């Protein structure tokens, strides 16, 4: 796991906690969540961070495949000798 992934996962967890806290506050006051601008902002932040995590996963997969391709010629030449 890269530092960037770990930091992003931590950000996502914090954002989800903030969203849950706001939802609890709104539930106590009886306000609909989708009408609250603060809730909408927090929800957008959660979605944004989630998309960043998905992009990090895609990049990690691509880098792993590239590393495997780089090692393949070395493995082929070693087996031929």
């Amino acid at each position: 796991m890269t530092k960037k992934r770990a930091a992003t996962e931590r950000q996502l967890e914090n954002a989800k906690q903030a969203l849950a806290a706001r939802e609890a506050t709104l539930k106590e006051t009886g306000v609909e969540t989708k009408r609250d601008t603060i809730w909408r902002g927090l929800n957008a932040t959660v979605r944004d961070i989630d998309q960043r995590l998905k992009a990090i996963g895609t990049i990690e997969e691509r880098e792993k495949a590239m590393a495997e391709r780089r090692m393949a010629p070395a493995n082929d030449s070693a087996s031929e000798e």
Side-chain angles (χ1 to χ4, degrees):
M1 183 178 345
T2 64
K3 288 183 182 179
K4 190 168 189 171
R5 174 179 279 284
T8 307
E9 287 175 346
R10 205 169 30 254
Q11 289 174 351
L12 180 62
E13 186 60 36
N14 291 338
K16 284 182 177 181
Q17 289 175 358
L19 182 64
R22 185 63 184 175
E23 287 175 346
T25 302
L26 291 174
K27 191 173 185 178
E28 289 175 7
T29 59
V31 176
E32 186 179 341
T33 56
K34 293 187 179 181
R35 291 199 168 271
D36 185 57
T37 56
I38 296 171
W39 179 88
R40 291 191 327 208
L42 291 170
N43 190 43
T45 301
V46 169
R47 288 193 324 256
D48 180 48
I49 296 170
D50 191 43
Q51 288 299 314
R52 277 190 264 152
L53 268 177
K54 288 178 185 176
I56 290 170
T58 303
I59 291 168
E60 288 173 345
E61 288 176 15
R62 186 178 62 208
E63 288 176 352
K64 181 181 175 185
M66 184 173 53
E68 289 173 356
R69 284 193 305 268
R70 284 183 181 164
M71 294 303 293
N75 292 339
D76 291 341
S77 64
S79 63
E80 289 176 1
E81 294 175 0

